[in-house]
Amino acid sequence: MYEDKTLICKECGEEFIFTAGEQEFYAEKGFENEPQRCKACRDARKNAAKADREMFEAVCASCGQTARVPFRPREDRPVYCSECFAKMKEEG
């Protein structure tokens, strides 16, 4: 039903492939417009905002390692490193 399409990135001008799988995903999500930027340019735009984010250091309440978090830790709430947080999420 879908076929790979070659598109031109409006950011860098390079060609990129809009795969059949990506097209199917877009259709499932109800997206009507094709992507305007290649993956590298999309990632660069997403990460540009993250660069300005202030990070704070805290001690993980589970393993004791230093964790960097995007919020100011409070004394009354535990903070977890990425690994411990992921484990807790998996365990439910």
Side-chain angles (χ1 to χ4, degrees):
M1 181 169 165
Y2 296 101
E3 292 182 21
D4 289 359
K5 288 184 184 179
T6 301
L7 303 176
I8 306 293
C9 177
K10 78 176 198 176
E11 195 84 23
C12 67
E14 296 291 320
E15 291 184 350
F16 67 98
I17 304 296
F18 185 35
T19 67
E22 290 171 329
Q23 292 174 52
E24 188 173 348
F25 174 79
Y26 271 52
E28 287 174 6
K29 295 293 183 186
F31 300 149
E32 296 179 3
N33 300 321
E34 295 178 341
Q36 299 290 308
R37 293 173 179 83
C38 65
K39 174 114 173 79
C41 289
R42 286 195 314 265
D43 289 346
R45 278 177 67 97
K46 287 179 191 174
N47 291 332
K50 291 180 185 177
D52 296 339
R53 183 186 269 182
E54 185 177 1
M55 300 296 280
F56 301 89
E57 286 193 358
V59 176
C60 177
S62 182
C63 69
Q65 292 184 3
T66 300
R68 290 180 46 80
V69 294
F71 56 87
R72 185 178 307 279
R74 295 183 359 201
E75 295 297 322
D76 62 331
R77 308 240 4 217
V79 175
Y80 301 98
C81 67
S82 298
E83 289 180 19
C84 291
F85 184 76
K87 286 179 193 172
M88 289 175 56
K89 228 175 154 180
E90 285 176 8
E91 294 170 2

